[in-house]
Structure formats: structure tokens, C-alpha cells
Amino acid sequence: MKYDVIVIGGGPSGLMASIAAGENGSKVLLLDKGNKLGRKLAISGGGRCNVTNRLPIDEIVKHIPGNGRFLYSAFSIFNNEDIIRFFEDLGIELKEEDHGRMFPVSDRAQSVVDALLDKLSKLNVEIRTNTAVKDICYANGCVESVELMTGEKIPTNAVVVAVGGKSVPQTGSTGDGFPWAEKAGHTISELFPTEVPVTSNEPFIKDKLLQGLSLRDVAVSVLNPKGKAIITHQMDMIFTHFGISGPAVLRCSQFVVKAMKKWNLKEVLMSIDALPDYNEEELFQKIMKNIKEEPKKTIKNSLKGLVPERYLLFLLEFNQIDVNAQGGTISTELIRKFVKSCKQFQFHVNGTLPLEKAFVTGGGVSVKEIEPKTMASKLMHGLYFCGEVLDIYGYTGGYNITSALVTGRLAGMNAALK
């Protein structure tokens, strides 16, 4: 049997593409190699499913440092507010949380997946799970059919590739789409992990001195070889047994990878500002005032509450200050050194955890070869790409899923219109 549109991949972009194609009257077949659809959606947002972000479009694009500007054309047709309306029309009531993140009121990702599956059923989209695709067949510059691992060939007018990147492979994202894209003549930008914990061989990491310690609302920076900040993110972070993690670190991770590649480095400097609301001089004066008021108080008690206790003791020892010494006996020079490490504690990192451990894949099918308003291949008629298989990558917080749903919508709609 011939289908108007075959969608490969049942993640956020594939589900949206299938619905859009079905709504436009196409006979649609959705193929997924896993045993159920929406696996990535079901675990997103900590199992609550962060379906989009309500920030203005310009802000959303800023939060997608990997080719976010490519999405301006797509957003002019279908944007984050349209995503919100789409889900509300499916009966999913949404609520807004910090930084514009949108969640279902139910706090259950599965309710979102179920609503999408119900919509597919109403549109008579044919679904085949446990069905792995071997190849996409082309002839005379056009899509001709999809070949399954069983050898079965299914003829079609259009194929939407929505198979994801290579991150979170347990959901089925194992890079299957890249060889099909290359066969059609597409360029694949080098893949790398983003939104991923960062690794370090520093002695204090190896010795697990700070393992499990969280720092709240700190400014974390990645530095270039001249010591200037390439990027800074002010959020929470945590020290781990292999390095650092937490929201600020995940956002910095792609810049660690890029810096290592750009300057051919084995290690990159990062810096933590534990007190971003003070400048160095203000902090120095505040500490000196405390010490002068009670010079006989131990320095650790004098500074209590400035930063978490474990970090305070670590920084005092790092600067060779006796934690039990009376504040009045410590030299001004040592206090200045301590203040400097509060504001810019620098340490080396040597990379990140592998792509399989990342939340998001950097790199993918080059967006220069994709029509920005349709998600159609510029090189092969009837071929469309959407979601994480494209070289588009953002921070966590509803930005990647927004990109997936918007590109999925356009790919499915235009594949049907073809």
C-alpha cells in the first residue's frame, strides 16, 4: 500500500508531524522502532513534561544557541503560543512556572502522550511500533519508498525524518537518521554532547572534597585561553565525584566542548562566582567590617552564612587560612585572596560526559540545506527533517521541545501539502 506521508520516529517532533499531516488530509504511516511512542516526552521535565516556554520569541531564540535564528521563519507560521493552544485544544490544561516553562496542570507527562495518541487515532494515522527502518530509497531526485529491516519496501510521496540525535539512546535516539540524510547529499555537522555534566581531574574533585555540595544562584563561567569569560550562567550547580553538574553547568557544557575544539585544548578553565551580587571590593569591605567588630571571633564563625559551610571551609583551607584562627590575626592580604576565590574560584575541566549521557545532541543535519518555512530538504524532493536530527540545539527549559514541535508541525504539514 502507498502512503502520502511516512513519518519515521515517534518522539515529540514525529508525533506532531504525524498529526499535522493527518489534519491536512494525508494517508499517514508513523513508524517507530521502539515498543511505544512518546518515550522522550514521557521522561521530559522530570516526568512532568515541559511542553514549551512562554518567553517572547527573541528570548526563546537566545536560549537556542545552536542555530536558533534559523527558527524565526518557522515561528512566523507556528510558535510557542500556538503550541499552548494546540495542547489546550487537546484537553491538556497548562500552567506557567519559573522562567516561562509550561507544564500540564496534571504534572503528568503521560497525560500529554495519551492526548497526542488519541489525536492520532481520531485522524486515522496508521502506527507501527517495533518497526525499524533500514533505509530511505530515492529515485530521480525524489523520495520513492521506505525500506524496513525486514526487507519490506513501503512506497510513499514524502518522508519526514524525526528520529532524534544520539542523546538519551534508551528512548531510541541512536543516530539512525544521519546515514539517510547523507545518502540524500546532506552535510552532517559534527555531533557533540550539550546539556551534559562536565568532568575534571582536579585534586579536590578526585578526592571528593565537595562531592554532593550544591551552590545556589552562583555565576559559572567558561574562560578562553586569555582568561576572559566566553559564557556565564547564573543558576544552581552541584559538585560530583567526576566533576560538576546542575543547571548552570549543563548550560555551560557546550561552550567547554567548543573551546576545547577551537583552541585544541586538553583542558579548559572554568570559574565560579559564589556571590555574584557583590563586587570584590564590596565583599572585602563587608568581611573586614565583620572582623573589626569582633576580632577575637574565629574566622569560620565570622564568615558563617556567607557561603555554604563546606564551601567556606574549603575556600579557607584553599587559601591556607586556619579555620580556627581569630579573624583579627589574619593578614589583609590573605583576606583579599579569600575574597578573590569567593568571586572567581578557577579550576580546570577536561571535557564532558559522553553524548549518550547528554540531554541534547549538538550538531546534525545542516540547516543551510533545509527550507526554513517548510523543513523540506533543498536536495531531495519529498524529504523533510524535524526535531533533534537537525543541527539545532538549545538549553533545557522547554526550548528544545519547542523547536521539535514547531519543526515537526511544519514538516508534517508541508509533507502533506506536497
Side-chain angles (χ1 to χ4, degrees):
M1 182 191 290
K2 186 168 186 176
Y3 292 87
D4 299 321
V5 179
I6 295 178
V7 178
I8 311 172
S13 64
L15 293 170
M16 183 60 107
S18 302
I19 288 168
E23 284 176 342
N24 281 278
S26 282
K27 184 170 184 54
V28 184
L29 173 63
L30 172 57
L31 302 172
D32 192 273
K33 68 180 181 184
N35 59 358
K36 59 181 179 181
L37 302 176
R39 285 178 295 172
K40 211 164 197 175
L41 266 177
I43 61 168
S44 68
R48 295 197 303 132
C49 194
N50 182 186
V51 296
T52 189
N53 192 293
R54 208 166 204 166
L55 289 178
I57 294 297
D58 284 344
E59 282 299 306
I60 286 183
V61 167
K62 273 187 203 163
H63 284 82
I64 305 176
N67 294 315
R69 295 177 66 81
F70 170 79
L71 294 171
Y72 272 120
S73 294
F75 284 139
S76 71
I77 301 163
F78 188 80
N79 60 32
N80 53 340
E81 291 298 329
D82 295 315
I83 291 170
I84 291 165
R85 274 190 292 277
F86 169 82
F87 281 112
E88 287 176 344
D89 288 345
L90 293 184
I92 299 289
E93 204 183 333
L94 300 176
K95 59 181 177 179
E96 185 174 343
E97 295 191 5
D98 59 319
H99 309 295
R101 296 182 304 155
M102 300 298 293
F103 289 91
V105 169
S106 69
D107 279 331
R108 283 182 61 250
Q110 196 55 47
S111 65
V112 175
V113 176
D114 292 344
L116 292 168
L117 296 181
D118 185 50
K119 182 68 173 175
L120 289 171
S121 175
K122 285 175 180 166
L123 291 167
N124 297 313
V125 169
E126 193 179 325
I127 295 167
R128 289 171 68 174
T129 51
N130 295 311
T131 305
V133 171
K134 182 180 181 182
D135 204 0
I136 300 171
C137 305
Y138 311 115
N140 303 317
C142 295
V143 164
E144 187 179 57
S145 62
V146 167
E147 184 184 356
L148 305 182
M149 286 297 183
T150 57
E152 180 189 354
K153 281 193 177 180
I154 310 170
T156 184
N157 297 323
V159 172
V160 177
V161 178
V163 291
K166 271 196 167 181
S167 48
V168 205
Q170 65 270 28
T171 63
S173 296
T174 50
D176 301 357
F178 301 122
W180 308 333
E182 283 182 313
K183 185 183 166 188
H186 282 280
T187 309
I188 310 299
S189 307
E190 186 179 349
L191 305 182
F192 61 94
T194 78
E195 299 301 297
V196 65
V198 170
T199 58
S200 172
N201 279 326
E202 287 277 10
F204 75 91
I205 296 288
K206 290 260 192 199
D207 296 342
K208 301 178 181 170
L209 296 181
L210 297 174
Q211 183 180 341
L213 172 67
S214 292
L215 298 180
R216 304 280 177 213
D217 199 33
V218 294
V220 180
S221 302
V222 181
L223 310 181
N224 69 16
K226 291 183 175 175
K228 293 274 184 283
I230 300 166
I231 190 77
T232 300
H233 282 293
Q234 188 172 331
M235 298 173 93
D236 299 347
M237 66 161 285
I238 186 167
F239 293 95
T240 68
H241 62 287
F242 56 79
I244 50 173
S245 190
V249 174
L250 296 182
R251 289 197 172 187
C252 285
S253 60
Q254 61 177 279
F255 299 93
V256 169
V257 176
K258 288 172 181 173
M260 289 177 77
K261 189 177 177 194
K262 182 176 179 179
W263 290 291
N264 193 25
L265 302 169
K266 286 198 164 56
E267 291 189 317
V268 173
L269 261 184
M270 288 187 74
S271 177
I272 299 168
D273 179 353
L275 295 157
D277 293 341
Y278 293 94
N279 67 35
E280 235 173 88
E281 190 54 33
E282 286 169 344
L283 184 58
F284 173 72
Q285 294 299 341
K286 175 183 162 70
I287 289 170
M288 290 308 289
K289 183 170 178 280
N290 285 359
I291 291 170
K292 277 173 184 162
E293 282 172 359
E294 295 184 82
K296 290 199 161 78
K297 211 175 188 181
T298 64
I299 191 68
K300 72 174 181 186
N301 287 338
S302 221
L303 300 175
K304 199 171 185 174
L306 189 69
V307 292
E309 188 176 13
R310 267 180 79 194
Y311 196 55
L312 174 66
L313 298 179
F314 169 77
L315 290 181
L316 287 169
E317 285 169 12
F318 176 77
N319 287 291
Q320 296 171 326
I321 297 171
D322 178 356
V323 298
N324 294 308
Q326 292 179 350
T329 65
I330 297 163
S331 72
T332 306
E333 184 191 355
L334 275 180
I335 297 293
R336 282 208 181 271
K337 279 176 72 180
F338 169 78
V339 166
K340 191 175 182 67
S341 54
C342 282
K343 290 294 294 171
Q344 41 181 313
F345 175 63
Q346 294 186 2
F347 58 101
H348 289 94
V349 298
N350 61 352
T352 69
L353 291 185
L355 188 46
E356 294 72 36
K357 302 284 187 188
F359 286 106
V360 181
T361 303
V365 177
S366 172
V367 293
K368 292 174 184 169
E369 299 157 0
I370 304 296
E371 294 287 353
K373 285 195 169 180
T374 65
M375 299 302 127
S377 164
K378 292 179 180 178
L379 310 178
M380 186 66 67
H381 203 53
L383 183 62
Y384 298 80
F385 294 94
C386 58
E388 214 177 319
V389 73
L390 289 165
D391 185 11
I392 300 172
Y393 48 95
Y395 299 135
T396 50
Y399 306 105
N400 292 292
I401 199 166
T402 298
S403 170
L405 294 172
V406 169
T407 56
R409 184 82 187 172
L410 266 59
M413 188 169 74
N414 288 286
L417 295 175
K418 177 194 175 299

